[in-house]
Each structure stands twice: as C-alpha cells, then as structure tokens.
Amino acid sequence: MSFEQTFKNIDDLLYKDSGSDSELDYIGQTSWVMFLRYLDELEQDKADEAELKGEDYSFILAEEFRWPNWAMPKDADGNLDHHVALTGTGLVEFVDGKLFPYLAKFKQEADSANTIEYKIGEIFSELKNKIQSGYNLREILEYADSLPFRASKDKHELSHLYETKIKNMGNAGRNGGQYYTPRPLIRAMINVIDPQIGEKVYDGAAGSCGFLVEAYEYLYERMDKTTDNLKTLQENTLYGKEKKNLAYVIGIMNMILHGIEAPNIIHTNTLGENIRDIQEKDRYHVILANPPFGGKERPEVQQNFDIKTGESAFLFMQHFIKSLKTGGRAAIVIKNTVLSNTDNASVALRKLLLEGSNLHTILDLPGGTFTGAGVKTVVLFFQKGEPSKKIWYYQLDPGRNMGKTNPLNDRDLEEFLTLQKTKPESEKSWILNVNDLDDDSFDLSPKNPNTPEEAPLRSPEEILEEMETLDAETNTILKSIKELI
C-alpha cells in the first residue's frame, strides 16, 4: 500500500470517529501517533548502533510504553498478536489514563529543552487523544506501523505528504491559514538571504516550521557533508518559537520528518519576552518569518516593547530587529499596511527599521498569495547595522488571479530572483531613494513609476466610425464571395 493511501485511510477513520471533526484534528491526531512510531524507529536504530559497538543502550521509554508492547505486539510470524493487543475501550483507557500522563512527565524530567525527552513531554502535555473509538484507534495504529521511517527515501516521501496535509489544513479555514506560507515564497526568500553553515537561523513565529525546514534543505544541499557540518546543522543552526499548541506539535513533527532529530523549537509566546532583555548571546545571523497578521495583544504584552501597539505583526517586527545580530539578514512577510499606515506606531516602526537597518528590497505580493487571507502582503529584506539609502521594489505579477486552485509557484518568482541580484529598474521594479522620503510619515507604500501607460479611452464617435469601416469591409468581402458562387 502506498504512503498516500495509508494517510488517506487514517483520515477516513478519523472522519468516522466522533472525536475528530476537522483537518486540524486529523493532523493533530495523526501527528501524535506518527511521533510515537518514529520514536520507536529512532530508539531501535540507536539500540542497533550500540550493539555494533558492544555497548548497552538505555531506552528512553519504559518497557510497557514502547510501541511494540502497547501499540503493535506481534506473534512469532510478525503479525499482530490479537491475544495481547489492546483494542476497544481498553485501548482508549490505556492511552488516556496511562500513556499520555506517562509521556507528559518527561517535560519535568528532561535535562534541557533541546533534548528529545523534553519534546516528548511537551507534545504529550499539550495534545489530547481525541480518537474515541478504540476500534478506530487500533486500525490507525496498524496503518502507522506499516509506515517505514528508516530510509531517507521513505522520510522524503513522508515529509512531502505531511506538507500536503499542512497545506490542506491551512486551506480548511478557521485559524489554520496562519500555519501555512506558500513554499515557493519561502524558497525565494531563503535564496535571497542565502544562509550559510555555521550561521544561526531563527523564526519566532514558527507555525508548521516551513521556513526552518526549507532552510535545512537549502543548507544541506549546498554544504560539505562533513561530520562536523552535519552535527552543526542538526543541533546548532535552526531555532524557533511557537505559541499555539497544535502548531508547535505539527512543527516538531514536520522537522523530524525532514531529518532533524531534536528540533530547537520552544513552546512559548514570543511576544511575552521583554525585548530589553535580549542580549548578544540571544541573537541570530538570519531571521526568516511570517508573523500572524491581525492579532491583538493585551496591554501587559505591549509593555515588553518600545513602540506600543496592539498589532501583533508590528510587535514581532520589533522582536526580530532586536533579535538580529549586527550584520545579520532578515526576510519578513508582513501585511502591506505597515508601509503606509499613518498612526504613531507604524511611523515609528518604519523610522526604526530605516535608521538601524539597510532595507534593501521590498517584494510586493499580489492579492491571493495567502489562501483565505483578505490582506495584501509584502516581504521586507533587510540587513541590520547600516541605515537604509536605496530600496529596490519589485511588484510580483504572475499574470493570473491567485487562489486555492491557482497557487503561487516557483516559476512565478524566477524573474524576481534574477533581477534582485542587480536590482535594475524595469516595468515591474523601481528604486526609492530614502533621502526623498517625507520625514514626518516615512511612507514606503509601493508606487510603481514605471508602469506602462494604458492607451487612452476612445470617444464614442471614434468607436462608431471604426465599426462602420469594419462593416463596409465585411460587406465587400461577402459580395466578392457571392460573385464567385
């Protein structure tokens, strides 16, 4: 059975179950089951490695809670042992009453937040089992057991399918859209920023970790595959923070499926951190992010920032500027009103950005780039440390209406990536001299001076005259044809 069919079968069972009622529930429930399946494979690999070295391996999970004992006990022929395997009410009672409480305790017992033990505790103290039928759960466990995690080819296919599920969840409405940024846009942003091995990459609004996963792929493809580089990439390169329970779990699972064993993702409200407490050791070389638009933060959260505003995206921008090392590079997706709003906070934010960083590129995105989002967005590319002098704008026009059935693709961004290297003026791009800005408003809204002029509208008399001429030509042609007949 194909991986895709296995995922579909799991979704079908969740659809039938009374405890799960949306794409968000489907991916949350699939995630905890897959995580435990992955953990068993990881433990088995480490046990095999230890045996080859003649060493003992100490399993993370106690015997009773390991996958082969509670989820898939097998007989001598390798088939599910129905005499031992829990099912029905007994299975649900074990998962809810024993398994989840046991796994949740790892959060308190782990040595640090960067360990797999801590991730186990974090996931199972945040998620709840919503599968109410023990018979459905038994089938789901059997499907999950059939998924191979060991070969890199298998992981690649699983990660691709998981990304598709995240995308579907983003399109499902509710608050799902905040988890999904189109991957072609992420890849273009990373391409411009060009992170290098040894640099620390950060996303403080990590969601499903799309930016960090794509950064991992970008770095892995381009670096020398030495033991040191691989260890650096795994352990000391990718960092994130996420507030929402489900997004945190999905992000962890997404990174694991892409090959990162113990992701450095912290479950916290990034905006709860006072930016005045951020020190050099807390800063990053590269920041890539798409903070949620439209969120409103309470007054006590706003006290953590120099520029007070209830708009969460504007608070995130302050956090990102403060969290960037001098010389560090950032690419941030933000709603386009940040460029033109006249309120004090918006003006102060633009002034802060222009005076302390080189805002060198603004990518103006078309409406519909984000499925279901009713706002237009831009991407700000900047480097901290030097004030802005010239800003290169590019107006992305894919030549079609964007939407769920017509999403952004990599080809749409090819011209932007080519032109961004030299930043020329064209029909879609132009340069703004920062010295020409109004000192009171610092208005950065995109106003393309190079848009080709449209032909002026003709008068009704001209249109009627052309119609009469065309009618006369048509009559002449018809007369010629009749004569031939």
Side-chain angles (χ1 to χ4, degrees), residues 398-417:
R400 65 184 190 281
N401 289 330
M402 306 286 288
K404 186 176 177 181
T405 56
N406 244 333
L408 197 69
N409 62 53
D410 289 298
R411 285 191 312 279
D412 293 329
L413 289 145
E414 283 174 359
E415 184 186 70
F416 164 69
L417 289 173

Side-chain angles (χ1 to χ4, degrees), residues 169-226:
M169 180 190 70
N171 292 337
R174 282 171 59 183
N175 62 346
Q178 68 184 271
Y179 303 128
Y180 193 78
T181 305
R183 296 315 185 241
L185 178 60
I186 291 178
R187 286 191 284 271
M189 290 165 66
I190 291 170
N191 206 295
V192 171
I193 294 298
D194 189 27
Q196 302 293 310
I197 194 71
E199 292 186 320
K200 292 187 174 183
V201 180
Y202 172 63
D203 180 357
S208 62
C209 293
F211 282 98
L212 298 176
V213 160
E214 291 292 343
Y216 175 84
E217 300 280 353
Y218 183 91
L219 286 160
Y220 184 80
E221 284 171 18
R222 288 161 179 77
M223 73 182 194
D224 293 332
K225 308 296 189 291
T226 64

